[in-house]
């Protein structure tokens, strides 16, 4: 019996991977199958690097990759760092989400490669790695799949003159089309250019509704990888006419046609005008009109998604300040030159961050340079809501929640049909009307900054400079938790201030990911951690996470947008962090902590955990005890302890340092020269004056002054604005004015041949109503006609009178002449 097993044993030895010992799955001294685990004789958790407690093979099994991100379209080649394989092999399999497998390889340098798959979702995608052709997957890592618009242009193939591609076949677009790409991004001698089509089929809003990319046909095969391809489009066969949206893919010619999940360069998704049939080319306007009317008929059969999308902010200032619920639309961003192709006249558009809960829909809001919202009822440049949110919606993968692509199917290609290829834009705008701001409610703002100073949601100002970790905010309902660490500042002379400042902030809502933003040691820059692991933003500044979105701007400001609509902004200000928190009205009466009780009543902002309320007149020492009462408890801490210093000073010690005695406001003293300089810098700003006295640093005081001014400016931008809602022009007339906020006046005019019956103007009043309704324009009674009638009548009367006088005079003369001899 033993002899009969020998051939199989020898076979396993021959086919076994070359590199050294393979640890038993779950071995306690190894990270095989244990990434993220802290237990055991050594750690496989991200914090182990700073604590010097990692298993020796952690980099072999808990994978770091470069690049770490790519488009959801897939085809991106990435390299496993720190893992070298001595012999080239084709037994590499990369498994994404335990269900999608792609074939990897080992190159001649021993580096292990994987290829990202075609996905229908954005976010962090877990993957495992097998080096034995799928028998075991002991290694794991994370791939970041991003919206196609977030990918560098160098990673795509480029449609030269993309507008021409999308108008091809119309009167203005004929001839050749050209595709270009970076040959270094696809290192091969011979390539194939393929067309893929995207569609969503099945009964809308049912289990049968599915999304699919399909290989259609090749435009060229086995051509030289020159970086450019030019061709004259021909109408596609009838079998392929149902695909109206698609993208081009360039692959190595060694792959068979349509082979999935191979190294590739994709173009932008686009309207496939150039591939449409002879009926489109014969009469593109008639073809597009028919498609527009068919879309309109389908829309009328679908649920009304407009009822659950949020109202737009009333002004551009509000839209930019409400960063928890709205973010810049990459297609019209004032920070990037206001290139607003689809919204001429606008300088900035925002999109609702979160998709609507039931239908996965989105809101878009566009504004003029004057800050006025553009509405489709007034202009085709107006903002349009989306049946499919452009950024997609969890759980993604199914219509209409597929990032970017569902939006193309239900909102973009129909815009081409109705507005760009045919003059039927009124049909589109009627089913994608702009939302005005009549019921918009701005969020409530609270801030913490400087040494540290707090402005609560209800506007109470106070200073609490304890040393430790504290609860800034707890909110029932959504289980929102926001915690911060406060530390002393080391002066340039090497001593410690008697004041403190925020150095780390962590947030979680429900079972969402935990995001922590902290000051990087000695660098004056931000470091962001996701579930206690340091994130890199070298490739992407926007991440879709569990229960939130995360955005990083210029390395010194981080914005967290939570699924409840709450927003958090953390930035570096001087030696410390500043924090701004935005909460929508749903949080009214549901908050507690150092940022106060949100209920429009400042008198109860100093509420202790027990429910006891300190009076607004509480002394600075009483407020110090209020702050100490909100110290974090170890069992509920969201903060990370990944260094000896943090463990010894915060994890193993009381969360509020009882031995630290701060400088209280009434104790501040300064030299005459410092007082003079502080007065010149700070004026009557108490926060600034205190920080100069507490730290002896004008730089710290100036940072506090600036961030307090920013808070006041933002609070002003978020003041409620009264809107009277859209006011219609009169039939057979028009109006002047597209601003519908309090104090605005709209003037009415009639077309030629009509006259106004009613007021010539209407003003938006403080109660949200218009002073006058829209008048009517009545035929034949315009002022010009009326004046014509009057003057015409007078002319007739004058003519009759003149004739009469002449006749009388003639008769008189005849009588005289008759009496002469």
């Amino acid at each position: 019996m033993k002899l009969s097993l020998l051939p199989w044993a020898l076979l396993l030895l021959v086919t076994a991977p070359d590199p050294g010992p393979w640890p038993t799955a779950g071995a306690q001294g190894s990270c095989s199958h244990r990434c993220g685990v802290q237990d055991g004789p050594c750690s496989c958790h991200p914090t182990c690097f700073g604590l010097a407690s990692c298993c020796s093979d952690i980099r072999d099994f808990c994978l770091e990759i470069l690049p770490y991100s790519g488009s959801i379209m897939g085809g991106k080649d990435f390299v496993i760092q720190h893992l070298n394989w001595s012999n080239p092999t084709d037994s590499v399999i990369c498994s994404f989400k335990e269900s999608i497998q792609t074939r990897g390889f080992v190159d001649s340098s021993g580096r292990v490669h994987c290829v990202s798959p075609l996905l229908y979702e954005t976010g962090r995608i877990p993957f495992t790695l097998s080096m034995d052709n799928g028998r075991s997957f002991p290694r794991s890592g994370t791939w970041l799949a991003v919206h196609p618009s977030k990918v560098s242009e160098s990673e795509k193939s480029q449609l030269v003159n993309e507008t021409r591609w999308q108008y091809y076949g119309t009167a203005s677009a004929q001839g050749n089309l050209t595709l270009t790409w970076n040959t270094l991004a696809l290192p091969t001698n011979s390539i194939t250019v393929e067309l893929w089509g995207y569609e969503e089929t099945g009964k809308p809003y049912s289990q049968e509704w599915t999304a699919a990319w399909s290989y259609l046909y090749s435009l060229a095969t086995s051509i030289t990888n020159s970086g450019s391809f030019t061709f004259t489009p021909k109408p596609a066969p009838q079998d392929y006419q149902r695909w109206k949206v698609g993208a081009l893919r360039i692959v190595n010619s060694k792959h068979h046609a349509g082979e999935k999940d191979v190294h590739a360069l994709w173009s932008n998704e686009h309207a496939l005008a150039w591939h449409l049939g002879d009926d489109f080319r014969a009469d593109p306007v008639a073809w597009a009109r028919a498609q527009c009317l068919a879309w309109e008929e389908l829309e009328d059969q679908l649920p009304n998604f407009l009822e659950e999308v949020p109202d737009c902010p009333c002004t551009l200032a509000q839209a930019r300040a409400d960063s928890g619920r709205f973010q810049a639309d990459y297609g019209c961003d004032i920070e990037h030159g206001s290139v607003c192709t689809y919204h001429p006249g606008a300088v900035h558009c925002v999109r609702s961050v979160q998709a609507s809960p039931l239908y996965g829909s989105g809101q878009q809001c566009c504004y003029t340079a004057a800050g006025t919202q553009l509405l489709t009822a007034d202009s085709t440049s107006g903002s349009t809501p989306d049946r499919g949110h452009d950024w997609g919606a969890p759980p993604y993968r199914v219509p209409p929640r597929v990032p970017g692509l569902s939006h193309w199917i239900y909102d973009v290609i129909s815009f081409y049909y109705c507005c760009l290829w045919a003059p039927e834009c009124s049909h589109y705008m009627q089913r994608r009307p702009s939302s005005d701001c009549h019921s918009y409610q701005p969020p409530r703002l609270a801030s913490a900054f400087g040494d540290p100073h707090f402005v609560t949601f209800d506007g109470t100002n106070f200073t609490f400079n304890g040393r430790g970790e504290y609860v800034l905010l707890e909110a029932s309902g959504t289980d929102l938790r926001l915690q911060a660490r406060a530390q002393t500042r080391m002066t340039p002379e090497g001593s410690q201030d008697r004041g403190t400042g925020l150095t780390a902030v962590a947030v979680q809502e429900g079972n969402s990911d935990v995001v922590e933003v902290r000051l990087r040691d000695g660098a004056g820059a931000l470091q962001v951690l996701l579930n206690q692991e340091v994130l890199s933003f070298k490739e992407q500044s926007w991440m879709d996470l569990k229960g939130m979105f995360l955005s990083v701007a210029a390395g010194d400001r981080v914005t967290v947008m939570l699924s409840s609509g709450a927003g958090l902004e953390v930035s570096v200000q001087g030696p410390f962090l500043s924090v701004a928190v935005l909460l929508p009205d749903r949080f009214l009466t549901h908050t507690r902590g150092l940022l106060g009780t949100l209920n429009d009543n400042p008198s109860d902002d100093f509420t202790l955990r027990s429910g006891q309320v300190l009076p607004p007149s509480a002394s600075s020492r009483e407020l110090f005890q209020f702050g100490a009462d909100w110290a974090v408890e170890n069992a509920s801490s969201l903060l990370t302890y990944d260094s000896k210093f943090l463990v010894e000073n915060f994890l193993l010690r009381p969360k509020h340092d009882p031995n630290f005695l701060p400088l209280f406001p009434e104790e501040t003293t300064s030299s005459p020269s410092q007082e003079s300089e502080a007065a010149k810098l700070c004026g009557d700003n108490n926060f600034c004056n205190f920080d100069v006295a507490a730290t002896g640093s004008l730089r710290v005081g100036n940072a506090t002054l600036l961030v307090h001014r920013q808070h006041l400016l933002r609070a002003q931008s978020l003041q409620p604005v009264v809107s009277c809602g859209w006011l219609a022009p009169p039939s057979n007339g028009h109006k002047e004015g597209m601003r519908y906020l309090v104090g605005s006046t709209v003037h009415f005019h009639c077309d030629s041949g009509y006259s106004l019956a009613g007021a010539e103007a209407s003003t938006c009043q403080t109660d949200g109503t218009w002073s006058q309704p829209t008048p009517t324009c009545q035929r034949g009674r315009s002022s010009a006609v009326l004046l014509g009638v009057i003057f015409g009548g007078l002319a007739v009367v004058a003519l009759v009178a003149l004739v009469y006088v002449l006749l009388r005079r003639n008769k008189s003369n005849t009588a005289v002449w008759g009496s002469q001899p």
Side-chain angles (χ1 to χ4, degrees):
M1 191 69 174
K2 291 181 179 178
L3 290 174
S4 66
L5 288 175
L6 185 57
W8 290 103
L10 291 173
L11 179 62
L12 286 174
L13 287 173
V14 171
T15 59
D18 180 70
W22 282 76
T24 305
Q28 291 300 295
S30 169
C31 286
S32 174
H33 294 282
R34 294 185 60 243
C35 292
V37 177
Q38 288 178 294
D39 302 333
C42 57
S43 174
C44 302
H45 192 270
T47 56
C48 73
F49 293 101
L51 298 173
S53 60
C54 297
C55 296
S56 60
D57 61 1
I58 185 169
R59 293 190 183 276
D60 289 335
F61 290 94
C62 304
L63 305 178
E64 297 177 31
I65 60 174
L66 280 179
Y68 64 78
S69 67
S71 168
I72 63 173
M73 302 300 293
K76 185 72 172 289
D77 174 60
F78 61 88
V79 179
I80 311 298
Q81 305 295 295
H82 314 298
L83 180 63
N84 290 311
W85 217 252
S86 59
N87 293 327
T89 177
D90 59 358
S91 299
V92 181
I93 295 179
C94 314
S95 178
F96 297 81
K97 300 195 73 172
E98 301 181 353
S99 60
I100 307 171
Q101 294 190 350
T102 66
R103 179 67 68 175
F105 66 97
V106 177
D107 64 22
S108 58
S109 300
R111 300 185 306 168
V112 180
H113 295 247
C114 282
V115 175
S116 66
L118 173 62
L119 296 164
Y120 295 83
E121 61 183 302
T122 53
R124 288 167 61 85
I125 310 296
F127 75 92
T128 54
L129 177 67
S130 171
M131 300 299 296
D132 56 5
N133 211 29
R135 287 193 293 274
S136 64
F137 289 85
R139 296 171 165 83
S140 61
T142 303
W143 171 253
L144 181 64
V146 302
H147 191 289
S149 67
K150 302 290 186 183
V151 175
S152 166
E153 293 301 312
S154 64
E155 299 178 26
K156 305 176 184 178
S157 57
Q158 305 294 322
L159 307 176
V160 177
N161 191 349
E162 189 166 333
T163 301
R164 180 180 174 84
W165 283 74
Q166 299 187 110
Y167 278 83
Y168 195 92
T170 64
S172 59
Q174 305 290 334
N176 293 335
L177 296 177
T178 299
L179 179 72
T180 61
W181 63 93
N182 177 10
T183 57
L184 297 178
L186 190 65
T188 181
N189 294 325
S190 177
I191 57 99
T192 293
V193 181
E194 303 171 339
L195 174 63
W196 287 62
Y198 180 79
E199 63 180 346
E200 296 184 355
T201 57
K203 182 180 179 181
Y205 304 102
S206 74
Q207 295 294 326
E208 292 76 38
W209 208 8
T210 59
W213 276 102
S214 301
Y215 166 75
L216 303 185
Y217 52 84
S218 295
L219 296 176
T221 58
S222 300
I223 63 173
T224 302
N225 184 14
S226 64
S228 179
F229 169 63
T230 299
F231 71 108
T232 302
K234 297 179 181 179
Q238 187 62 38
D239 291 346
Y240 301 115
Q241 290 301 306
R242 75 171 192 262
W243 282 278
K244 312 298 193 305
V245 176
L248 297 179
R249 189 181 79 152
I250 304 174
V251 296
N252 189 319
S253 292
K254 71 179 182 181
H255 300 296
H256 64 73
E259 184 175 347
K260 288 188 175 182
D261 301 329
V262 296
H263 190 190
L265 295 178
W266 290 87
S267 73
N268 286 332
E269 67 277 15
H270 59 280
L272 299 180
W274 58 272
H275 129 111
L276 296 175
D278 289 324
D279 51 348
F280 173 75
R281 297 191 181 190
D283 193 342
V285 172
W287 184 94
R289 179 180 290 112
Q291 296 293 325
C292 175
L293 297 179
W295 168 80
E296 182 181 49
E297 183 177 351
L298 174 62
E299 274 291 310
D300 292 342
Q301 299 171 17
L302 297 178
N304 181 10
F305 73 91
L306 299 173
E307 296 175 349
E308 65 167 5
V309 294
D311 269 356
C312 286
C314 291
T315 65
L316 176 58
Q318 281 184 336
R320 300 188 72 189
D322 192 354
S323 59
R325 295 183 291 182
F326 295 92
Q327 284 286 308
D329 182 345
Y330 56 81
C332 181
D333 186 354
I334 199 170
E335 298 290 341
H336 295 91
S338 298
V339 181
C340 305
T341 303
Y342 296 110
H343 303 280
V347 297
H348 192 67
C349 295
V350 295
R351 290 190 183 275
S352 57
V353 172
Q354 304 293 338
S356 64
L358 186 59
Y359 299 121
S361 303
Q363 181 63 279
Q364 183 193 51
C365 315
C366 295
Y367 302 86
T368 67
T372 302
Q373 187 189 358
L374 276 171
L375 303 180
T376 52
D378 293 324
S379 167
T380 55
S381 299
S383 50
T384 54
D386 304 317
R387 182 172 292 280
H389 196 301
D390 186 25
W391 302 339
Y396 305 108
R397 296 189 297 278
V398 296
R401 298 173 178 270
V402 179
L405 299 165
S406 291
H407 176 54
W408 257 98
I409 293 295
Y410 301 105
D411 305 294
V412 181
I413 193 63
S414 48
F415 185 78
Y416 277 82
Y417 296 155
C418 300
C419 299
L420 301 183
W421 294 344
E424 303 293 341
C425 213
S426 61
H427 294 273
Y428 184 87
M429 296 304 175
Q430 286 172 8
R431 281 149 185 83
R432 295 292 185 270
S434 299
S435 166
D436 65 20
C437 69
H438 198 57
S439 60
Y440 170 77
Q441 293 295 325
R444 310 303 180 93
L445 173 67
S447 295
F449 52 89
D451 188 19
H453 311 291
F454 298 84
V455 182
T456 70
F457 293 107
D458 291 339
T460 300
N461 298 336
F462 72 99
T463 297
F464 166 65
N465 46 9
R467 182 168 66 188
E469 296 173 352
Y470 304 96
V471 174
L472 297 184
L473 173 66
E474 288 181 352
S476 59
T478 68
D479 192 24
L480 171 60
R481 294 183 294 154
L482 179 63
Q483 301 173 0
R485 178 181 294 140
Q487 296 176 239
T488 53
R489 183 187 76 108
M490 193 69 71
T491 68
E493 293 76 28
S495 61
Q496 287 190 338
D497 290 331
R498 285 184 62 190
T500 61
L502 302 183
T503 58
V505 178
V507 63
Q508 183 182 35
E509 186 172 52
N511 65 345
S512 76
D513 285 328
V514 177
V515 167
E516 179 178 348
V517 184
R518 66 186 184 186
L519 284 173
R520 197 164 55 204
D521 292 339
L526 295 179
Q527 187 176 66
V528 183
L529 294 86
L530 174 66
N531 301 326
Q532 302 186 336
E533 180 180 4
V534 176
L535 291 177
S536 169
F537 292 92
K538 291 181 179 179
E539 296 177 22
Q540 298 295 332
S541 60
W542 177 282
M543 293 187 183
D544 301 3
L545 305 177
K546 182 182 178 183
M548 63 179 71
F549 292 95
L550 178 66
S551 174
V552 174
D556 62 357
R557 187 175 76 253
V558 175
T559 303
V560 181
M561 297 144 276
L562 299 158
S563 59
S564 64
L568 169 69
E569 285 193 7
V570 184
S571 59
V572 181
Q573 295 291 344
F576 300 124
L577 300 179
S578 70
V579 180
V581 185
L582 296 156
L583 295 183
D585 276 357
R586 64 182 295 184
F587 286 89
L588 273 169
T589 72
H590 290 88
T591 71
R592 60 181 198 154
L594 293 183
L595 294 180
T597 306
L598 173 55
N599 60 1
D600 296 322
N601 179 15
S603 66
D604 64 356
D605 276 347
F606 302 138
T607 300
L608 303 175
R609 287 183 186 269
S610 64
Q612 178 186 349
V613 179
L614 300 183
S617 59
S619 69
S620 58
R621 292 180 181 271
E622 289 175 317
L623 291 178
F624 188 72
Q625 293 307 311
F626 160 71
D629 187 61
W630 282 106
V632 171
E633 298 172 352
N634 262 341
S636 61
S637 176
L638 302 176
L639 295 156
T640 303
Y641 310 93
D642 57 355
S643 70
K644 183 179 179 182
F645 172 82
L646 292 175
V647 169
E648 292 179 350
N649 287 274
F650 293 97
L651 181 62
L652 301 181
R653 287 189 180 181
K655 291 300 186 184
H656 170 73
D657 186 350
N659 300 316
F660 175 72
L661 185 64
L663 184 69
F664 293 104
E666 62 270 16
E667 300 174 349
T668 56
T669 57
S670 304
S671 65
S673 61
Q674 188 183 66
E675 283 188 3
S676 173
E677 290 177 325
K680 188 183 300 182
L681 170 69
C682 303
D684 60 356
N685 189 292
N686 293 331
F687 291 154
C688 174
N689 281 302
F690 175 82
D691 285 4
V692 171
T695 65
S697 169
L698 291 172
R699 174 175 171 266
V700 174
N702 186 55
T704 298
L705 177 67
L706 291 176
V707 72
H708 189 214
R709 286 176 175 171
Q710 289 170 5
H711 169 89
L712 295 175
L713 180 62
R714 190 171 202 168
Q716 180 62 38
S717 296
L718 290 171
Q719 287 298 307
V721 176
V722 175
S723 169
C724 293
W726 180 72
L727 188 62
S731 298
N732 303 307
H734 61 279
K735 65 182 182 183
E736 290 181 15
M738 297 189 298
R739 189 174 177 88
Y740 307 115
L741 306 182
V742 64
S744 301
T745 298
V746 175
H747 297 271
F748 305 104
H749 304 278
C750 289
D751 297 338
S752 178
Y754 294 84
S755 63
L756 272 177
E760 294 183 355
S762 185
T763 300
C764 181
Q765 303 175 117
T766 56
D767 64 354
T769 63
W770 289 100
S771 61
Q772 300 291 336
T774 297
T776 59
C777 290
Q778 298 180 0
R779 181 181 291 276
R781 293 187 57 189
S782 71
S783 55
V785 172
L786 187 58
L787 288 174
V789 170
I790 292 172
F791 285 110
L794 290 174
V796 170
V797 170
L799 180 61
V800 170
L802 179 61
V803 170
Y804 176 76
V805 170
L806 290 174
L807 289 173
R808 292 280 299 174
R809 180 176 297 175
N810 185 46
K811 184 177 180 180
S812 173
N813 289 339
T814 302
V816 172
W817 296 334
S819 62
Q820 289 179 342

